[in-house]
Amino acid sequence: MSLTRITLSRVPAPLRPLLVKHRELVKFAFTGGVCFLLTAGVNYGLKLTVMRTKPVTALTIAIIVATIASYLMNSGWSFRARGGRRRHVEAVLFFVVSGLGIIVNDIPLYLARYAFNLQYPNVSHVGQEVSDFVSGMIIGTLLGMAFRWWAMKKWVFPHEKTAGSASSAGVGPVAAPADEESELVA
């Protein structure tokens, strides 16, 4: 039995069709959760050791590490039913969108630290860390996630119909895997 079936069997029956209908979003959110934990680990590992005075740089490096993991999970799992782009074109678009997402993610932390001056000695060390977490890890991640969800569906992993119209640009359609819905609704 697949992990998906086991997980769905534990979800209340009335909720199952909704999860199946929005499975891309559920997979994207799960991937995001894993990458959030990876980002937090790398960010605080850097910030509490070698980058004590460079919180935005530490967060940026952590997001880059998580972006690589995110590409592997999103292309191979979350959006695998979408197609239409060659792998190298998809990867370039993914990393361009993710680069813009990093900027979106960094803006709240940058503003908190340098525009609102929420850093030591203006606030306590605890206040600084709470501000960094809320602005960088929570607000920044939510803004970055919303941007990435929209941009990934629109440009990186479009449906075949959307990408098929771009075949004149040398981008041929890719066969999508069999629909999972019949497998998931048991």
Side-chain angles (χ1 to χ4, degrees):
M1 184 177 263
S2 72
L3 179 61
T4 305
R5 281 184 168 222
I6 293 168
T7 303
L8 280 174
S9 70
R10 295 171 192 249
V11 172
L15 192 56
R16 284 183 205 148
L18 184 65
L19 292 177
V20 170
K21 181 179 178 184
H22 299 290
R23 68 183 164 271
E24 273 185 349
L25 179 59
V26 171
K27 290 176 180 181
F28 182 81
F30 180 80
T31 296
V34 169
C35 290
F36 176 83
L37 295 174
L38 181 59
T39 301
V42 172
N43 180 42
Y44 284 104
L46 290 172
K47 197 173 143 182
L48 298 175
T49 59
V50 296
M51 297 193 146
R52 290 179 187 262
T53 61
K54 302 202 178 284
V56 176
T57 304
L59 181 62
T60 302
I61 291 169
I63 294 170
I64 290 169
V65 170
T67 297
I68 294 166
S70 173
Y71 175 70
L72 297 172
M73 292 177 71
N74 278 314
S75 66
W77 185 54
S78 302
F79 296 111
R80 78 170 182 207
R82 291 174 175 255
R85 299 208 188 275
R86 292 186 180 148
R87 182 67 92 180
H88 68 280
V89 173
E90 175 187 278
V92 167
L93 289 171
F94 183 92
F95 286 105
V96 166
V97 165
S98 293
L100 294 170
I102 290 169
I103 292 168
V104 169
N105 204 130
D106 282 348
I107 288 171
L109 176 59
Y110 182 85
L111 290 173
R113 273 291 182 114
Y114 305 113
F116 301 129
N117 221 8
L118 296 173
Q119 58 184 324
Y120 185 81
N122 299 320
V123 296
S124 68
H125 285 292
V126 172
Q128 174 182 290
E129 292 307 313
V130 168
S131 171
D132 285 358
F133 183 78
V134 170
S135 61
M137 293 300 299
I138 303 296
I139 296 170
T141 298
L142 289 173
L143 290 174
M145 181 185 67
F147 170 76
R148 285 181 184 101
W149 170 249
W150 169 77
M152 295 294 175
K153 286 183 65 169
K154 182 152 182 82
W155 291 307
V156 181
F157 303 110
H159 280 296
E160 281 187 285
K161 292 178 186 173
T162 304
S165 64
S167 62
S168 62
V171 179
V174 177
D179 187 23
E180 298 173 351
E181 187 168 343
S182 60
E183 176 188 316
L184 296 177
V185 182

